Amino acid sequence: MSRPREDRAGGTGSPVRPGSVARHTDDPAAGPARHFGAVHRMPGWLKIGTAVVSLLLVGVLAFGAYWAIRLQGNISKAALGAGGDKTEGALDDSRDRMQILILGSDTRDGKNAQYGTSDDATGYGHSDVMMLMDISEDNKRVSVVSFPRDLLVDTPKCTDQESKQEFPAQKNVMINAAMSEAGIGCAVDTVNKLTGLEIDHFMMADFNAVKELSNTVGGVDVCISDAVYDPDSQLRLPKGTSAVQGEQALAFLRARHAFVDGGDLGRIKAQQAFLSSLTRKLKDDGTMSNPGKMLEIADVVTKNLTIDEGLASIPTLLTVGNRLKNIDVGKVAFVAVPTVPAVSDPNRLQVAEPAASQLFAAMRKDIDLTDPTATPSPSASPDASASPSPEPTPSETATAYDKTVQPITVANGSGAPARTQEIIQALTAGGFTQLAQLAAGPVATTAVYYGAGYGDVAADVATLLGIPAAQVLPAAGVTGVQVYLGSDRVGGTPGGDAPVELPSDIVNQTAGDVVCQQANPSLIVR
């Protein structure tokens, strides 16, 4: 076995540090020992660049964290319901059909004190604005349905989710009072009861939100037929198009007397025109794709917003916003629930039948209100538009109720008066004896409407008369069962599963329409 040589010049001892080599050589040009490699110093420009990138990265992360914390901290939350039954499963906010109830509160707290005293908004306040936004599953269309605040409805039993106090169901009360005792959840449950839908989320904003949002976007264009001044809302506008913001934007949305005949329906159309104009502005200005502007808007909105727990996170709100940004403005339909003066109080409204039930049925079936004949999206699940309650089905072997005490009315809109007696005779032969007649306007399609608890009776009546199941519809304003005869019954029994019929003027406007409001003649100024 050979040993290592002891020749120090050849070197088998401990490695020599590079600095030592340079120090002990006679050649000043000699560098470190070659088997250690050269020492590389980082160029100054690279050090500076690395530091700048690091600072930028830290800044971006800190900026994102700051805004996430700030926006999240802005949000106020409340319960989605007030004790009503929930039948639908968990919602995927990024891809499922979604219904959001949008409320404008008349609260006079804090920054809103200038609009009245706390006595003007008892309890949780009233919903000055109530709109149901329905986003389709394929993100290609949106329906925005307005409910007049003077609409008389039946409210369900509601429980205040904070105090746990229970409030009994009420009949024939204004819909804007639904949340005044038991909170926003009661308004949600009331709309669910009225429409047969199951609302997924809600958003409630106060007066201040409108002012600050309109200022942030630089004003919203509105149009009116004549110069007008409304002393109640302090709205003053010249004839034609004006950009409103701040107090004037709020006055435009709150004005009750400035438009048409001074009623709530004129105000709804003005609100829809304002939202249409705002939608066009956000899309035309590229705001939806401008992160800086969107942060500014998000900050303003979230400061004045109360939403449900399921929606109360910045990522979820961004998801919903992302679903809306590419929708064609021509497929954003603004609708008002069909109404007529209430029988109990002509200064109030009640749903107009059959138009209201037709609208709610179309919504449950996820029909495109701008084109009711269009084929529903193939991506929609089979039960996506089902009513919260099971479809009424005929009794099978034995009737679970006494036919002789079931209240049934016949409303003849067929244009053939003799059809009333024919239907009454058919119902009597089928065992139904508590029958009445109602005056009715002309309609094309026959339908059977039923009130709460009468779904089985309605199904049996429809089977007896040969009316398709698709034309058996729940209706909040009906007690018992109502057979509403259309012109399709004149020539005999209609065949097939007829589609839901909608009034031709059900859509007030789309977001792509520029609509000029008609001024109330009594408030026109020269």
Side-chain angles (χ1 to χ4, degrees), residues 428-440:
T428 302
F432 297 99
T433 58
Q434 190 175 328
L435 306 173
Q437 302 176 39
L438 285 175

Side-chain angles (χ1 to χ4, degrees), residues 50 113 128 245 263 316 380 401 403 408 425 493 519:
T50 302
D128 225 31
Q245 61 187 92
T316 304
Y401 56 84
K403 287 186 176 183
I408 299 175
Q425 289 173 8
T493 301

Side-chain angles (χ1 to χ4, degrees), residues 410-429:
V410 178
N412 191 349
S414 68
R419 292 294 288 162
T420 299
Q421 289 306 314
E422 292 177 15
I423 296 300
I424 286 177
Q425 289 173 8
L427 290 168
T428 302

Side-chain angles (χ1 to χ4, degrees), residues 91-103:
L91 177 75
D92 184 337
D93 292 310
S94 64
R95 63 180 62 196
D96 290 340
R97 182 186 176 197
M98 179 187 294
Q99 284 115 20
I100 303 175
L101 186 64
I102 300 173
L103 302 165

Side-chain angles (χ1 to χ4, degrees), residues 217-228:
V217 300
V220 177
D221 287 343
V222 297
C223 178
I224 193 163
S225 62
D226 297 273
V228 69

Side-chain angles (χ1 to χ4, degrees), residues 85-358:
D85 294 332
K86 185 171 178 60
T87 62
E88 296 179 356
L91 177 75
D92 184 337
D93 292 310
S94 64
R95 63 180 62 196
D96 290 340
R97 182 186 176 197
M98 179 187 294
Q99 284 115 20
I100 303 175
L101 186 64
I102 300 173
L103 302 165
S105 170
D106 70 351
T107 180
R108 266 70 175 183
D109 294 334
K111 296 178 180 178
N112 302 296
Q114 62 181 297
Y115 305 107
T117 67
S118 58
D119 294 336
D120 297 323
T122 57
Y124 287 97
H126 295 73
S127 51
D128 225 31
V129 176
M130 180 180 283
M131 297 178 173
L132 180 58
M133 181 169 68
D134 187 359
I135 306 172
S136 69
E137 186 175 9
D138 58 9
N139 295 337
K140 291 184 178 179
R141 52 189 166 83
V142 174
S143 299
V144 182
V145 181
S146 294
F147 298 81
R149 67 177 185 178
D150 291 344
L151 179 63
L152 297 180
V153 298
D154 296 341
T155 60
K157 181 177 72 173
C158 292
T159 301
D160 185 330
Q161 297 302 295
E162 291 187 8
S163 68
K164 302 305 178 185
Q165 182 179 355
E166 290 189 0
F167 296 88
Q170 300 182 72
K171 287 187 173 292
N172 224 34
V173 297
M174 285 173 57
I175 196 169
N176 77 327
M179 74 178 195
S180 61
E181 293 181 328
I184 303 170
C186 193
V188 172
D189 287 353
T190 297
V191 176
N192 285 343
K193 174 182 174 65
L194 178 64
T195 62
L197 295 165
E198 191 163 298
I199 292 169
D200 303 302
H201 297 297
F202 73 79
M203 296 180 176
M204 186 179 75
D206 60 17
F207 295 147
N208 199 58
V210 174
K211 294 191 301 182
E212 294 193 9
L213 177 59
S214 61
N215 285 332
T216 302
V217 300
V220 177
D221 287 343
V222 297
C223 178
I224 193 163
S225 62
D226 297 273
V228 69
Y229 173 63
D230 178 6
D232 288 338
S233 67
Q234 297 296 302
L235 176 67
R236 185 185 296 275
L237 286 176
K239 178 180 179 179
T241 301
S242 304
V244 295
Q245 61 187 92
E247 290 291 348
Q248 278 295 86
L250 178 59
F252 186 86
L253 292 174
R254 293 186 66 211
R256 183 180 176 85
H257 306 297
F259 310 111
V260 196
D261 59 356
D264 204 31
L265 298 181
R267 185 175 74 150
I268 280 177
K269 288 187 176 182
Q271 291 170 346
Q272 293 176 341
F274 181 94
L275 292 177
S276 295
S277 181
L278 177 60
T279 301
R280 292 193 301 273
K281 184 178 183 70
L282 292 176
K283 291 183 75 70
D284 293 345
D285 290 355
T287 302
M288 300 293 281
S289 57
N290 183 332
K293 197 66 176 178
M294 286 303 295
L295 279 177
E296 189 178 356
I297 291 175
D299 191 35
V300 167
V301 171
T302 53
K303 284 179 181 177
N304 302 281
L305 195 67
T306 300
I307 54 183
D308 63 279
E309 292 277 358
L311 200 57
S313 74
I314 298 306
T316 304
L317 289 173
L318 290 174
T319 296
V320 175
N322 192 57
R323 293 184 64 171
L324 296 172
K325 70 179 183 180
N326 293 322
I327 293 177
D328 180 355
V329 291
K331 285 298 183 181
V332 180
F334 289 93
V335 178
V337 173
T339 58
V340 293
V343 173
S344 60
D345 183 351
N347 294 316
R348 301 287 180 254
L349 301 168
Q350 67 184 41
V351 293
E353 295 296 0
S357 291
Q358 290 170 343

